[in-house]
């Protein structure tokens, strides 16, 4: 029987997760752990079972094998709510259709009506971020595209 135990910090490093995410998995009962003193300990067997049954754990991809991740925030001036919705919907569609080889990524959009801007927050590999920035440029360049061609291509 394997008597190897890991701390939350060790598990977070092994799985490339934030320690608070590991603690949340423990709290939600997704990852079995034992409280020893003030800290949690995860048995090697329980960690193995967890990783086999947890598809939401991001696996390192070829894109991020170099350890390069990029984050960016873009504020896009819009002429109204309809344009804001068009931009946010197009960017969300681009994120949902990205190839899996681009690795883990995230996109958050927010329409700030009082400032007439759409705030876009991106995080991911360099290729993913570059493509999304190109998409933002295409969506905001009124001279080169119509309302029906979003110009987003992976």
């Amino acid at each position: 029987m394997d008597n190897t135990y890991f701390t939350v910090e060790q598990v977070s490093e092994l799985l490339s997760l934030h320690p608070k995410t590991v603690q949340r998995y423990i709290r939600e009962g997704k990852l079995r752990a034992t409280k020893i003193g003030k800290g949690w300990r995860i048995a090697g067997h329980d960690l193995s079972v967890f990783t086999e049954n947890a598809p939401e754990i991001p696996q390192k991809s070829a894109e991020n094998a170099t350890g390069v991740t990029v984050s960016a925030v873009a504020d896009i001036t819009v002429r109204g709510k309809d344009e804001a919705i068009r931009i946010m919907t197009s960017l969300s569609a681009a994120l949902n259709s990205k190839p899996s080889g681009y690795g883990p990524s995230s996109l958050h959009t927010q329409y700030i009506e009082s400032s007439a801007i759409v705030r876009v927050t991106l995080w991911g590999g360099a290729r993913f971020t570059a493509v999304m920035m190109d998409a933002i440029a295409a969506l905001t360049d009124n001279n080169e595209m119509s309302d029906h061609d979003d110009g987003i291509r992976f």
Side-chain angles (χ1 to χ4, degrees), residues 61-118:
S61 66
E63 169 70 15
N64 287 336
T66 61
V68 175
T69 55
V70 178
S71 61
V73 176
D75 284 344
I76 305 166
T77 303
V78 293
R79 287 173 286 214
K81 188 175 185 176
D82 289 340
E83 184 179 18
I85 291 170
R86 179 183 64 83
I87 289 170
M88 294 184 323
T89 303
S90 297
L91 291 174
S92 293
L95 174 71
N96 292 332
S97 65
K98 77 174 178 72
S100 61
Y102 279 35
S105 56
S106 69
L107 164 80
H108 298 280
T109 58
Q110 176 186 14
Y111 175 47
I112 304 171
E113 191 170 11
S114 61
S115 303
I117 62 170
V118 171

Side-chain angles (χ1 to χ4, degrees), residues 19-30:
K20 291 207 182 272
T21 302
V22 174
Q23 290 171 344
R24 185 184 48 159
Y25 288 144
I26 292 169
R27 189 174 55 252
E28 293 173 351
K30 294 179 181 179

Side-chain angles (χ1 to χ4, degrees), residues 71-78 83 86-92 94-95 106-110 118-123 128-145 149-154:
S71 61
V73 176
D75 284 344
I76 305 166
T77 303
V78 293
E83 184 179 18
R86 179 183 64 83
I87 289 170
M88 294 184 323
T89 303
S90 297
L91 291 174
S92 293
L95 174 71
S106 69
L107 164 80
H108 298 280
T109 58
Q110 176 186 14
V118 171
R119 178 159 292 150
V120 179
T121 307
L122 295 169
W123 175 89
F128 164 78
T129 307
V131 169
M132 292 301 286
M133 294 302 282
D134 286 343
I136 290 170
L139 287 166
T140 57
D141 187 358
N142 294 327
N143 298 330
E144 293 186 19
M145 57 178 279
D149 179 19
D150 64 14
I152 301 171
R153 304 289 182 264
F154 279 101

